[in-house]
Structure formats: structure tokens, C-alpha cells
Amino acid sequence: DATHGGDEYLCTAQAAKIAGVGAPAIRKWVRERKLPGHHAGRRLRIRRDELERFMRVGPEGDAPDPADVANRILSSGRNRGP
């Protein structure tokens, strides 16, 4: 995973998997400025912490069910072991 200064950057496919949506939805949210996006040349990257914050609030600003968010994060295969 790409990191810079302790921040983890995800490609759109990784962000989409975590959020439980397709990559086009991630790109749309970035284009609509609902989700912050970062470009490395032509490649779009999403910071994991910003995606997690966005998922807590939701694309329309309404908070999703916390259990649903937790399940999505856990099922993403996130493993930050020692």
C-alpha cells in the first residue's frame, strides 16, 4: 500500500471495495467534491482516513448505520497487525 507521512493512500478499486461500491462511484464522489481525492500524475488516490470519515457521514451527509460501516471495514481485509 502507498503511504506518505503515515497516511495510507488507496487506488479507486481498493477504496470501492472498502466502501462496498464500484470504482465509478468513488470517482463520481471525488468529481462532485463529496470525497477528497489526490492525484499522483493521472492516478487518483484516496486517503484511507478520509474514506473512513466519508463513510461515517455518507455521500449525502446523512450518517449510515454504524454497524454497516464496521462490517464494510472489517470485510475489506484490513489487517494492520504488528
Side-chain angles (χ1 to χ4, degrees):
D1 296 331
T3 59
H4 180 270
D7 297 321
E8 183 178 359
Y9 287 83
L10 308 168
C11 69
T12 54
Q14 292 168 315
K17 183 176 179 182
I18 291 169
V21 299
I26 297 294
R27 288 190 293 272
K28 178 181 178 201
W29 292 334
V30 170
R31 189 173 55 251
E32 294 174 349
R33 300 186 183 276
K34 294 179 179 181
L35 174 65
H38 307 272
H39 285 88
R42 294 187 65 201
R43 297 179 188 264
L44 177 61
R45 296 289 182 251
I46 310 299
R47 278 184 31 187
R48 182 184 284 273
D49 64 331
E50 291 173 338
L51 177 63
E52 290 172 352
R53 187 176 313 116
F54 174 79
M55 289 170 49
R56 284 192 300 272
V57 176
E60 302 303 325
D62 54 339
D65 179 356
D68 183 46
V69 173
N71 287 333
R72 279 191 256 160
I73 292 170
L74 292 173
S75 68
S76 73
R78 180 178 173 187
N79 185 1
R80 292 186 178 229

